[in-house]
Amino acid sequence: IVKTIEDFVYVSLWNATFGGTQDALLAVGTNIKELGPGHFQGDDSTNAWSYAMPLLLTQQYHASMLHLAKEGDQGMLQATHLSIFLPELEQPSLLTTLLIQLASSLKISSASSALEYLVRIPDESQRRSKI
């Protein structure tokens, strides 16, 4: 019997890795998404990582980044930085959206920081239109 989120994820990943196929790993990810953040965050709704981490571990990168981004300024910052540096994400539209949203939240307090994020937009035409 699994008692913690870590145990649940470990057992699920173990079964998918050693007893299944790539489809088994996707099924674990789908199961985690169906359970939703409330299942993983419990009473501590301020800890976005308790749901984002199982999503990352099951290769649900897009869902994980979107969840973090919805969790306030700190979550947006973390999701944006992960999207920049994790090559597995390779989702230019998600990265562009996160970069634009983060830059928008920074433009009043720090225009130079906002610009640093905007220059990282992968699509040149979008980058030019936002700068």
Side-chain angles (χ1 to χ4, degrees):
I1 297 175
V2 292
K3 295 183 180 184
T4 67
I5 292 168
E6 291 82 6
D7 291 342
F8 168 77
V9 172
Y10 178 79
V11 168
S12 298
L13 291 176
W14 176 269
N15 289 334
T17 304
F18 295 104
T21 63
Q22 179 67 22
D23 292 337
L25 182 60
L26 293 175
V28 173
T30 300
N31 185 28
I32 289 170
K33 286 196 296 190
E34 287 174 356
L35 291 170
H39 181 78
F40 292 91
Q41 290 175 232
D43 295 334
D44 186 13
S45 62
T46 61
N47 185 3
W49 279 102
S50 60
Y51 180 59
M53 188 59 69
L55 289 171
L56 281 173
L57 292 171
T58 56
Q59 300 178 0
Q60 303 297 314
Y61 305 119
H62 189 92
S64 179
M65 295 305 103
L66 290 178
H67 175 71
L68 282 175
K70 291 189 298 185
E71 297 298 317
D73 292 341
Q74 192 65 29
M76 174 64 72
L77 182 68
Q78 293 169 349
T80 304
H81 286 182
L82 281 171
S83 296
I84 290 169
F85 294 108
L86 284 178
E88 293 83 9
L89 291 172
E90 293 185 14
Q91 298 179 14
S93 62
L94 174 63
L95 177 58
T96 298
T97 300
L98 292 172
L99 288 167
I100 291 169
Q101 288 179 355
L102 183 59
S104 294
S105 71
L106 292 172
K107 68 182 174 186
I108 293 173
S109 62
S110 178
S112 62
S113 294
L115 183 60
E116 286 182 41
Y117 287 105
L118 290 175
V119 298
R120 294 182 179 275
I121 294 175
D123 182 63
E124 187 174 342
S125 64
Q126 282 186 315
R127 184 179 331 120
R128 287 181 188 207
S129 73
K130 295 299 177 185
I131 294 176

